[in-house]
Amino acid sequence: LTSVRYPGVQRGSYSQLSDKHVQHFKSILPKERVITDEDDIAAHNVDWLGMVRGASQIVLKPKTTEEVSAILKYCNAENLAVCPQGGNTGLVGGSVPVFDEVVISTSLMNNIISLDELSGVLVCQAGCILENLDSYLSERGLMMPLDLGAKGTCQIGGNVSTNAGGIRLIRYGSLQGSVLGIEAVMADGEVIDCLSSLKKDNTGYHLKHLFIGSEGTLGIVTKVAIQCPPSPKAVNVAFLGLDTFDDVLRTFKEARSGLGEILSSCEMMDMLALDAATTNLNLQRPIGEFPFYMLIETSGSNGTHDEEKLTSFLEGLMGSGIIHDGTVASEPSRIKLMWKLREGITEGLLHDGYVFKYDISLPHNSFYAIIPELKTRLPAEKVGRICGYGHVGDGNLHLNITTPKFDPAVLKIVEPFVFEWTSKLKGSVSAEHGIGFKKTQYIHFSKSQSSLNLMKDIKKLMDPKGILNPYKVLPAQH
Ligand code: AKG
């Protein structure tokens, strides 16, 4: 197999799947969990954006850690490459095969193992869907410490493997801080049990971190222990209109000081980003038209106290002319509608045609400058929209450029320019989406050669044959 779609990417010298292998998988799993029907495999071979497509001939659906272990032990012995797959909602092609890797889907590993309602520690299998976990917790006065647009489909194992960010990072921190323990299976089938559910545990190397954010290249996460905060008693969302990006930064600064501990989200969208959701998904804009919008959420334990704080924060902004229009929601249905506008942007952009997608961390004072810069570099007749939105509170910009269809001339102008720009500002070329398949040749813009060498050494130690999620994260040559 060679790839026409990915020139320059060579299939590794792995074994080809044979009938003997399929029969063996059927001795590990019941045959209905060994999927070889082309139609049933199709969705596992393509990413959510429809941009990365593999040619796997088999999908395995284990239910237990022991089954994952037996599968990997066999694949390692037989030199079969594997692609671990959770909800397959990633945006950098990390969760789909590139060639004919064996797909190991965690979708049936969806048991909640335990919940300590006092400490808030949840232990569950990797295939639990984020939203299902959140619903389970909310009935018990708790919540997941992360939330993102793909919550209805993404799985916690995938979230942890990619160290997914999302809309509440500003409040609850990076996911790696909430993950107390992990159970993972290494390439040779060895089960690594670091499933500690202790808040404090400084007994040697923090091995769990090898599996957080390594995107399935060092092991397959099978169980996680997560610290879950109490769910808030009061939630408010303000949707604001602003004239300039400087005003967005001023509002963020005021929100940090004025809302303090109740601030749970601080998001921005420019006019064209919001328009992708309103026009393309037919959603209602809740306020007038502005060059910039912000969605600010508060979550706290005392509704009256929160409302007082929010009111005085908004009055201050209005008084000093930083915001001109805005609306506040405290009923769950209206809050949901406002979040739909923000979370619908990704899907809305796809309706334009092709999307060039960048997920970058930048210093606040240079957060938005790349958008006007790209507008001067890209010929207007070639692009649909150049827009920016994202987690301004966390310094994470989602830069998106749409074109009617894939246009190599646009690509040439945008890459590596975006990565060079980001690197010069000491930003990150992947803030929260990971490196996956799409960004491997750009990782060096954010990682030193010595770090890359150590990553390569760790990979060799933990997966000497390189069977785990090949072609992902690590650059082919460095
Ligand atoms: C977000 O909406 O926060 C995402 O991570 C998706 C960003 C994108 O579609 O570029």
Side-chain angles (χ1 to χ4, degrees):
L1 269 172
T2 51
S3 175
V4 248
R5 288 175 58 88
Y6 312 117
V9 184
Q10 289 285 316
R11 183 185 182 279
S13 52
Y14 303 107
S15 305
Q16 308 268 358
L17 185 77
S18 70
D19 214 38
K20 174 190 90 171
H21 298 132
V22 178
Q23 289 319 315
H24 188 83
F25 290 132
K26 287 184 181 164
S27 75
I28 300 174
L29 302 178
K31 64 178 187 317
E32 68 277 10
R33 293 200 268 126
V34 177
I35 295 145
T36 50
D37 180 88
E38 216 173 297
D39 290 341
D40 295 338
I41 292 173
H44 296 271
N45 262 322
V46 63
D47 72 334
W48 185 81
L49 291 168
M51 289 174 189
V52 181
R53 204 174 288 272
S56 179
Q57 295 149 39
I58 190 161
V59 176
L60 305 176
K61 293 194 171 176
K63 284 189 173 176
T64 65
T65 303
E66 293 68 34
E67 288 175 351
V68 175
S69 168
I71 292 166
L72 282 181
K73 190 171 179 196
Y74 181 70
C75 288
N76 196 48
E78 290 292 313
N79 198 31
L80 283 166
V82 306
C83 172
Q85 190 174 80
N88 196 11
T89 59
L91 298 174
V92 286
S95 57
V96 279
V98 176
F99 293 97
D100 55 343
E101 298 89 278
V102 171
V103 175
I104 302 180
S105 163
T106 50
S107 57
L108 299 180
M109 302 181 69
N110 51 15
N111 284 324
I112 290 174
I113 297 162
S114 65
L115 172 68
D116 182 329
E117 293 191 26
L118 187 63
S119 65
V121 178
L122 171 81
V123 181
C124 67
Q125 279 189 300
C128 292
I129 289 174
L130 178 60
E131 193 167 49
N132 294 349
L133 291 175
D134 200 53
S135 307
Y136 174 85
L137 289 166
S138 88
E139 286 161 19
R140 290 153 181 89
L142 296 163
M143 63 181 281
M144 287 299 280
L146 81 158
D147 190 359
L148 54 149
K151 56 182 150 274
T153 314
C154 66
Q155 298 172 12
I156 192 65
N159 297 146
V160 168
S161 304
T162 56
N163 192 30
I167 55 179
R168 303 248 154 64
L169 192 139
I170 192 167
R171 172 71 165 269
Y172 302 108
S174 176
L175 180 57
Q176 60 191 316
S178 298
V179 175
L180 301 177
I182 273 188
E183 178 196 78
V185 184
M186 300 234 293
D188 63 359
E190 178 85 21
V191 178
I192 302 294
D193 179 358
C194 339
L195 199 60
S196 163
S197 53
L198 302 168
K199 186 112 183 181
K200 300 180 84 171
D201 179 13
N202 276 351
T203 49
Y205 302 163
H206 285 220
L207 295 175
K208 68 185 177 199
H209 287 295
L210 289 169
F211 305 103
I212 306 176
S214 54
E215 303 183 51
T217 60
L218 299 180
I220 299 185
V221 172
T222 44
K223 289 181 190 140
V224 293
I226 295 200
Q227 172 78 58
C228 302
S231 36
K233 297 208 169 57
V235 178
N236 294 291
V237 166
F239 200 96
L240 312 173
L242 307 100
D243 281 336
T244 65
F245 185 72
D246 272 352
D247 287 342
V248 170
L249 289 185
R250 275 189 209 117
T251 304
F252 167 52
K253 194 166 174 227
E254 290 301 315
R256 286 224 311 164
S257 60
L259 299 172
E261 80 291 352
I262 63 168
L263 178 66
S264 55
S265 255
C266 186
E267 301 284 311
M268 66 76 64
M269 300 145 261
D270 66 14
M271 190 169 66
L272 285 179
L274 182 65
D275 178 72
T278 52
T279 304
N280 292 356
L281 304 182
N282 215 4
L283 300 172
Q284 199 76 33
R285 182 159 32 76
I287 57 174
E289 188 158 279
F290 286 89
F292 295 96
Y293 303 93
M294 288 182 83
L295 190 160
I296 293 183
E297 187 193 74
T298 63
S299 310
S301 57
N302 182 325
T304 319
H305 162 268
D306 294 4
E307 261 163 49
E308 259 171 37
K309 266 190 150 170
L310 188 59
T311 308
S312 113
F313 160 71
L314 293 173
E315 280 172 0
L317 291 174
M318 288 273 192
S320 46
I322 295 175
I323 56 169
H324 302 291
D325 194 6
T327 178
V328 176
S330 30
E331 320 79 66
S333 59
R334 278 198 72 222
I335 289 178
K336 218 170 166 181
L337 278 178
M338 288 193 196
W339 271 117
K340 205 165 169 191
L341 288 163
R342 163 62 185 87
E343 294 187 321
I345 296 172
T346 302
E347 188 191 338
L349 290 166
L350 277 182
H351 291 234
D352 278 2
Y354 189 85
V355 188
F356 296 89
K357 197 171 268 307
Y358 304 94
D359 159 50
I360 52 187
S361 273
L362 294 164
H364 279 115
N365 57 6
S366 328
F367 188 85
Y368 195 73
I370 194 165
I371 309 274
E373 176 66 29
L374 280 166
K375 285 185 179 163
T376 66
R377 284 173 184 246
L378 285 163
E381 68 281 3
K382 281 198 170 283
V383 293
R385 71 181 89 218
I386 304 169
C387 67
Y389 65 105
H391 319 289
V392 66
D394 304 313
N396 177 189
L397 176 71
H398 293 309
L399 158 65
N400 281 254
I401 300 158
T402 66
T403 47
K405 57 185 178 47
F406 175 71
D407 186 339
V410 171
L411 180 67
K412 215 169 154 193
I413 296 171
V414 178
E415 293 185 18
F417 168 71
V418 169
F419 304 115
E420 285 166 356
W421 172 283
T422 305
S423 177
K424 259 189 215 136
L425 290 165
K426 306 223 178 311
S428 169
V429 295
S430 178
E432 61 171 1
H433 293 171
I435 294 294
F437 175 61
K438 283 187 176 170
K439 302 274 158 77
T440 57
Q441 70 271 43
Y442 306 114
I443 190 172
H444 69 273
F445 283 104
S446 292
K447 276 268 182 300
S448 66
Q449 190 58 50
S450 54
S451 306
L452 284 171
N453 290 343
L454 181 58
M455 281 172 64
K456 207 171 147 197
D457 288 346
I458 294 171
K459 171 75 175 172
K460 252 197 212 127
L461 176 77
M462 294 178 69
D463 178 17
K465 292 185 173 177
I467 63 158
L468 281 172
N469 222 6
Y471 325 108
K472 317 281 172 62
V473 183
L474 289 158
Q477 264 139 40
H478 61 272

